[in-house]
Amino acid sequence: AQTVTQSQPEMSVQEAETVTLSCTYDTSESDYYLFWYKQPPSRQMILVIRQEAYKQQNATENRFSVNFQKAAKSFSLKISDSQLGDAAMYFCAYRSRGAGANSKLTFGKGITLSVRP
Amino acid sequence: KAGVTQTPRYLIKTRGQQVTLSCSPISGHRSVSWYQQTPGQGLQFLFEYFSETQRNKGNFPGRFSGRQFSNSRSEMNVSTLELGDSALYLCASSLVSGGSTDTQYFGPGTRLTVL
């Protein structure tokens, strides 16, 4: 079974600064996806970024980028130029890929990010 | 295109009752997954339905069940409610099950409180 670990329950960042959220995972599979989801106070889960394990290049989406270290099973999210609207809970998630894969996501416990004005 | 909708948004029940939650996926999406979110256990996968068939099931007791209709709408049912069933229940839809380019889109959730 796969597990996802987010060891930092809370983090804080000054507006316009950069923050990195950590995530590690454990799997015996070689082919999978990793995701970061954002859950603001409204509770609506929003996909921030995704990474395919077979791709060496780190994914980027505007101010969001990841540092994917497959051998170390590490998947961190960097948020640049933090904005007040980035304040939310962030979840790291894993999904299998390949033959027989389904849509099940395995989530970490989440990290609460606050942004100081 | 309308997003994933869940009804009702809030629900209060008492122990021993049963409850049915509904999820309407994005138009054209055929896969629906359900998750339970609690402060203690976090987000846990309940089950996934694709083309009216249960594709995968999480580690939950048999009191939790679901189904999917031909229009891809899905319902989940919890019988004999317990206090520990109080949670936010999230539904997510995607085009297919496990697709290589699939993205799961989440609904706003149903907040269930068991008294």
Side-chain angles (χ1 to χ4, degrees):
Chain A
Q2 298 79 32
T3 59
V4 178
T5 302
Q6 294 177 256
S7 55
Q8 308 153 301
E10 295 179 356
M11 286 197 75
S12 180
V13 64
Q14 190 75 35
E15 193 175 7
E17 296 294 310
T18 296
V19 65
T20 299
L21 310 183
S22 301
C23 171
T24 58
Y25 60 95
D26 191 27
T27 182
S28 58
E29 299 174 334
S30 60
D31 201 6
Y32 49 86
Y33 300 98
L34 294 165
F35 305 86
W36 279 97
Y37 278 89
K38 168 185 178 181
Q39 188 178 43
S42 67
R43 294 300 193 180
Q44 181 85 44
M45 293 284 278
I46 302 164
L47 177 66
V48 175
I49 200 166
R50 66 181 262 167
Q51 173 80 42
E52 288 86 349
Y54 64 88
K55 289 186 178 179
Q56 292 186 336
Q57 186 173 8
N58 289 323
T60 62
E61 285 288 341
N62 301 311
R63 298 183 294 107
F64 299 88
S65 61
V66 299
N67 183 4
F68 173 49
Q69 302 288 329
K70 190 173 184 180
K73 296 180 181 174
S74 169
F75 182 61
S76 60
L77 174 69
K78 185 171 82 171
I79 306 174
S80 304
D81 185 26
S82 296
Q83 300 174 359
L84 295 178
D86 294 333
M89 196 149 186
Y90 287 81
F91 291 93
C92 179
Y94 173 105
R95 177 161 82 83
S96 298
R97 184 178 183 269
N102 54 54
S103 295
K104 174 187 173 182
L105 290 168
T106 300
F107 287 91
K109 291 289 190 183
I111 176 170
T112 301
L113 177 67
S114 58
V115 181
R116 305 185 302 276
Chain B
K1 187 182 277 190
V4 179
T5 58
Q6 292 187 245
T7 56
R9 293 292 310 278
Y10 302 91
L11 207 48
I12 300 175
K13 292 286 188 179
T14 57
R15 279 181 298 173
Q17 286 187 310
Q18 75 166 20
V19 66
T20 298
L21 312 181
S22 180
C23 171
S24 293
I26 292 171
S27 177
H29 284 196
R30 293 163 58 199
S31 170
V32 173
S33 298
W34 289 89
Y35 295 85
Q36 181 196 64
Q37 185 176 20
T38 60
Q41 299 298 317
L43 279 151
Q44 293 186 286
F45 173 78
L46 279 156
F47 27 64
E48 179 196 2
Y49 286 87
F50 177 68
S51 293
E52 301 179 65
T53 301
Q54 189 178 87
R55 185 89 198 277
N56 197 0
K57 189 179 191 307
N59 188 26
F60 277 82
R63 300 184 298 107
F64 291 82
S65 63
R67 60 177 174 169
Q68 187 179 36
F69 301 95
S70 59
N71 62 357
S72 294
R73 189 177 70 85
S74 177
E75 288 181 347
M76 68 162 280
N77 184 275
V78 188
S79 62
T80 319
L81 283 166
E82 301 177 0
L83 295 178
D85 297 334
S86 294
L88 180 69
Y89 290 88
L90 292 166
C91 162
S93 79
S94 58
L95 276 170
V96 294
S97 176
S100 60
T101 57
D102 249 359
T103 293
Q104 287 197 58
Y105 296 90
F106 282 80
T110 294
R111 170 73 66 184
L112 172 65
T113 301
V114 182
L115 302 176

